[in-house]
Amino acid sequence: MMRTDRPMAWGVVGKDKPTIALQWKNLNSIPIPGPDDVVIRNEYIGLNPVDWKMIRNWPENWNIGHAPGVDGAGTVLKLGENVKSLVPGQRVAYHQDLHRNGSFASHTVVDNRALLKVPDILPLVLAAALPCPLMTAWQAIEKVPRRAEADVLITGAGGMVGRFLVQLAAQRGYRVTAMASARHHKTLRQLGAETVIACATNSSQSQFFAVFDTVNAQHAASMADLIEANGHLVCIQDRLETPPVPPFDKALSLHEVALNALFRVGTERQWVQFRQAGEGLLTMVASEKLLAPEPRIEPITALPEALEATTTQDRPLKTVIDVRYFANQE
């Protein structure tokens, strides 16, 4: 293994190709930032389900060679002329715009507004694992009005987003019921869930103020009967195209979650709120006021195989790719 400063990336090879079909490429030069951008020298990449979903769905603006990847952590290398709040060498984590070249690379150009300063006591390897699941959980919990001691249900609570949601909801004073496989029940109780129930059960007699569903739209719709009148249904992994109850019946509020919406239509006020919340949450993880599982670490050369593993039922809870070193193979 050896250190490299040569720019490199894993790029997609074509539409309708399998997730594992990424091509290793050496780049001609380190990218140049736009006026409001920052070039990050990546040290670690956090893998997320959205990464393989985007590869399979192939957005219209992607071309062959596009580098996927939404989450990364590293140090600031180059600043655009308008960027005044950061300095070279600063440790940052980020959630990238889905329409730009992403974190599956040695260097990534990121809008400076999306960069989260990483506390000195938080290892970058853990910081890379956090932006997508942690900020998704934050955005989801922010959708719902605060009501102390209200009952909420979190489905798919054994995953990364679900685990953060359980903790954030408990810290806000909600009474949390977590739905997950039995192997996660002990951990979820330790994270703050008062009640845990098995997946695929609708036997609960409770009526919930809010349901946070991390499974899919069909599953979210099936939870509607468990929500009280004027309650909230937050669909995190999908979108409810059709209301799950008749009009003027329960009068449910339906919510969708999309971190990348800020890149399209976010205001400066919203970006400030995003950074403040994100940096505050990273500090909470660093001080263990929010608990995050240790990720599995794989080398940059194993990225396609590690990404493919995230599509399987027995996938690791979280995988982080080490970008700092690579096998000297041509």
Side-chain angles (χ1 to χ4, degrees), residues 160-174:
M160 286 286 286
V161 174
R163 290 183 181 210
F164 286 131
L165 267 172
V166 167
Q167 294 176 80
L168 292 175
Q171 290 174 6
R172 294 187 180 205
Y174 295 119

Side-chain angles (χ1 to χ4, degrees), residues 77-274:
L77 180 64
K78 295 182 179 181
L79 302 171
E81 60 187 34
N82 296 336
V83 181
K84 309 299 181 185
S85 60
L86 298 163
V87 296
Q90 194 154 20
R91 302 164 78 244
V92 292
Y94 62 88
H95 182 77
Q96 174 66 313
D97 185 343
L98 289 167
H99 298 283
R100 302 184 75 171
N101 279 303
S103 61
F104 289 8
S106 60
H107 302 78
T108 304
V109 180
V110 184
D111 187 321
N112 80 95
R113 298 175 299 176
L115 295 173
L116 305 177
K117 298 174 184 176
V118 176
D120 291 341
I121 60 173
L122 182 64
L124 283 178
V125 64
L126 184 53
L130 298 176
C132 186
L134 184 57
M135 298 312 293
T136 295
W138 167 78
Q139 189 179 82
I141 202 80
E142 285 287 309
K143 297 279 185 176
V144 176
R146 298 195 184 200
R147 184 196 293 178
E149 299 187 351
D151 291 295
V152 301
L153 172 66
I154 299 167
T155 73
M160 286 286 286
V161 174
R163 290 183 181 210
F164 286 131
L165 267 172
V166 167
Q167 294 176 80
L168 292 175
Q171 290 174 6
R172 294 187 180 205
Y174 295 119
R175 289 191 296 264
V176 179
T177 296
M179 179 184 288
S181 300
R183 67 182 184 275
H184 298 301
H185 286 188
K186 180 179 178 181
T187 297
L188 292 170
R189 288 191 182 95
Q190 293 170 342
L191 294 178
E194 292 190 15
T195 305
V196 291
I197 58 177
C199 296
T201 178
N202 288 325
S203 61
S204 173
Q205 299 301 310
S206 299
Q207 286 283 290
F208 297 98
F209 171 62
V211 170
F212 299 89
D213 185 86
T214 72
V215 182
N216 56 42
Q218 182 179 3
H219 191 268
S222 74
M223 297 291 105
D225 288 343
L226 301 181
I227 303 174
E228 65 187 32
N230 299 303
H232 299 264
L233 179 54
V234 185
C235 191
I236 294 170
Q237 289 292 348
D238 213 335
R239 178 183 180 181
L240 285 169
E241 299 289 348
T242 303
V245 294
F248 310 111
D249 179 43
K250 283 192 171 184
L252 300 183
S253 295
L254 307 180
H255 306 274
E256 62 184 35
V257 175
L259 285 181
N260 249 247
L262 286 181
F263 288 106
R264 307 277 78 76
V265 295
T267 65
E268 288 303 317
R269 178 188 60 80
Q270 289 176 307
W271 276 114
V272 169
Q273 182 186 34
F274 175 86

Side-chain angles (χ1 to χ4, degrees), residues 12-33:
V12 292
V13 297
K15 191 174 183 180
D16 299 324
K17 299 294 183 180
T19 303
I20 201 170
L22 294 171
Q23 185 174 27
W24 177 262
K25 57 181 182 178
N26 290 314
L27 306 178
N28 293 327
S29 60
I30 294 173
I32 298 173

